[in-house]
């Protein structure tokens, strides 16, 4: 709960600070925050619970974070879609940023031998 709350607050704070940026940039920056957080939390988890795999716990936290974002990623994307003229290009950008985040998480998990 604590990590979820911290990450949800970072999302809200980021939206306030970066309100002049594009939704793509918001998502990209938030994914960077999540990747950094994963490294930090994985290290902490492995120190506190040696020998226990951290991946399931961290994935559960991230699922909780995504479900708790306000406004949600979907709301931000929907709003942006109404404002952009090149909708397909915008969606391809969202897909690319999301795909890169997913690949980064998978690579981190593989590097830690948890997959």
């Amino acid at each position: 709960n604590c990590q979820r709350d911290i990450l949800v607050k970072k999302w809200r704070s980021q939206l306030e600070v970066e309100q002049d940026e594009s939704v793509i940039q918001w998502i990209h920056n938030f994914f960077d925050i999540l990747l950094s957080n994963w490294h930090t939390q994985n290290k902490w988890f492995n120190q506190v619970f040696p020998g226990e795999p951290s991946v399931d716990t961290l994935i559960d936290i991230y699922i909780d974070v995504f479900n708790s974002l306000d406004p949600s990623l979907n709301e931000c994307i929907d709003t942006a879609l109404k404002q952009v003229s090149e909708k397909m290009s915008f969606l391809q950008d969202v897909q690319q940023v999301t795909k890169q985040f997913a690949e980064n998480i998978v690579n981190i998990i593989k590097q830690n031998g948890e997959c």
Side-chain angles (χ1 to χ4, degrees):
N1 286 338
C2 182
Q3 273 306 301
R4 181 201 62 218
D5 292 345
I6 289 169
L7 292 169
V8 168
K9 286 178 185 174
K10 285 185 179 189
W11 169 251
R12 286 188 196 126
S13 173
Q14 176 187 326
L15 294 184
E16 289 174 16
V17 170
E18 298 177 357
Q19 49 185 284
D20 294 334
E21 298 290 335
S22 70
V23 171
I24 300 296
Q25 193 62 48
W26 293 348
I27 295 169
H28 175 76
N29 291 346
F30 188 63
F31 287 168
D32 283 349
I33 289 168
L34 293 178
L35 289 170
S36 175
N37 176 269
W38 185 286
H39 287 292
T40 304
Q41 292 307 307
N42 187 56
K43 184 176 179 181
W44 175 86
F45 191 94
N46 289 329
Q47 289 174 344
V48 175
F49 304 105
E52 294 289 323
S54 61
V55 69
D56 291 337
T57 302
L58 292 174
I59 287 173
D60 287 344
I61 290 170
Y62 280 33
I63 289 169
D64 220 9
V65 167
F66 283 119
N67 288 329
S68 301
L69 294 179
D70 183 30
S72 70
L73 288 174
N74 285 343
E75 289 172 310
C76 292
I77 292 167
D78 286 345
T79 300
L81 270 171
K82 294 173 186 170
Q83 298 171 350
V84 298
S85 58
E86 297 293 325
K87 294 178 184 346
M88 190 56 76
S89 176
F90 172 77
L91 289 174
Q92 288 172 331
D93 290 345
V94 170
Q95 178 191 29
Q96 184 58 37
V97 168
T98 305
K99 182 179 177 184
Q100 186 61 52
F101 171 71
E103 288 173 357
N104 287 337
I105 288 288
V106 168
N107 288 335
I108 291 168
I109 292 169
K110 286 179 179 178
Q111 287 172 0
N112 291 323
E114 295 187 39
C115 187

